[in-house]
Amino acid sequence: MEAKAHLNYVRISPRKVGIVCDLIRGKSVAQATAILMNTPKAASEPLLKLLKSAAANAENNHGMDPEKLYVSETFANPGPIIKRIMPRAQGRAYRINKRTSHVTIVVAER
């Protein structure tokens, strides 16, 4: 049995979120929480909140034991790109891509 939590339209690039996802994949929920609390990355705060949500889903919706939970899957897919324009020299305009992510965390029992 597994429980999921999704976080859509996070205003962080999926490449940056993926680095933090790799840190917690395969770890127990308690260990992953400790890692996220001590990681100085922008993505660690939303991922910590998402991890707690996935653990709560497992406990309340599926009746799993919170002590036995571990992060079985975690991944960040690209969301829509917000396109902005930056004025440059001689009347040119460069595009700025503000990327978003859809993050999923799956927890399961050991």
Side-chain angles (χ1 to χ4, degrees), residues 1 75 77 81-82:
M1 191 62 134
F75 51 90
N77 293 324
I81 298 171
I82 304 165

Side-chain angles (χ1 to χ4, degrees), residues 50-95:
L50 186 63
L51 179 63
K52 287 180 180 177
S53 176
N57 288 343
E59 187 179 351
N60 296 318
N61 299 345
H62 301 293
M64 294 185 207
D65 182 18
E67 298 298 317
K68 296 179 183 175
L69 292 177
Y70 78 104
V71 181
S72 62
E73 283 181 68
T74 176
F75 51 90
N77 293 324
I81 298 171
I82 304 165
K83 296 176 178 85
R84 297 290 179 258
I85 297 298
M86 174 74 110
R88 302 305 287 182
Q90 299 178 3
R92 292 184 177 89
Y94 283 3
R95 174 176 280 163

Side-chain angles (χ1 to χ4, degrees), residues 1-109:
M1 191 62 134
E2 56 186 30
K4 291 183 183 181
H6 301 280
L7 181 59
N8 291 331
Y9 306 105
V10 184
R11 257 298 288 123
I12 304 172
S13 163
R15 184 175 177 175
K16 293 178 183 176
V17 177
I19 292 168
V20 183
C21 285
D22 292 342
L23 291 175
I24 63 169
R25 191 176 295 116
K27 306 277 194 299
S28 69
V29 169
Q31 193 177 5
T33 303
I35 289 169
L36 289 175
M37 286 180 141
N38 294 299
T39 303
K41 293 273 190 186
S44 59
E45 192 176 331
L47 274 179
L48 178 61
K49 197 171 177 182
L50 186 63
L51 179 63
K52 287 180 180 177
S53 176
N57 288 343
E59 187 179 351
N60 296 318
N61 299 345
H62 301 293
M64 294 185 207
D65 182 18
E67 298 298 317
K68 296 179 183 175
L69 292 177
Y70 78 104
V71 181
S72 62
E73 283 181 68
T74 176
F75 51 90
N77 293 324
I81 298 171
I82 304 165
K83 296 176 178 85
R84 297 290 179 258
I85 297 298
M86 174 74 110
R88 302 305 287 182
Q90 299 178 3
R92 292 184 177 89
Y94 283 3
R95 174 176 280 163
I96 304 291
N97 289 330
K98 297 189 177 282
R99 298 182 186 276
T100 61
S101 304
H102 299 319
V103 187
T104 302
I105 291 183
V106 181
V107 295
E109 270 186 328

